[in-house]
Amino acid sequence: MKSELEKILETVPTEVPWSEIVDFDKFDERQSAVSVLYSNTIGVCENYIEFCPDYEPPQREEILSWIWAFRPDLGNEILEMNLSEGFKILIESYNSSEMLKFWDYVS
């Protein structure tokens, strides 16, 4: 049986309505952090967010960061993958509610 992440990776959405963003109250924080690692990946529109990859085809981590931005509940599953140090620190910092660690890392 496929995991939720595997299902999303099969058909990565290019738009996600605000109503489908998990932990919406903290979305701005995630979007800002993802933008530091992968600039312009997430576009914010009136009622939805959109995937705006920098590369064609999109890089693997750029896709994973996009998914994590709207589905942070999949962070632990994403952490099981081979990730760059920065993205790993971002997810770990978010999961432990210690985002200052990530901001210190990137500064």
Side-chain angles (χ1 to χ4, degrees), residues 11 27 34 45 54 71 77 80 84-85 88 93 102 104:
T11 55
F27 172 74
V34 166
C45 302
D54 287 333
R71 288 294 307 270
E77 191 173 345
E80 293 175 10
S84 67
E85 183 179 0
K88 185 176 179 179
S93 298
F102 171 74
D104 286 343

Side-chain angles (χ1 to χ4, degrees), residues 62-82:
E62 196 172 27
I63 294 168
L64 291 171
S65 71
W66 157 247
I67 293 168
W68 178 77
F70 68 85
R71 288 294 307 270
D73 57 316
L74 299 176
N76 288 334
E77 191 173 345
I78 293 170
L79 280 172
E80 293 175 10
M81 305 176 106
N82 185 24

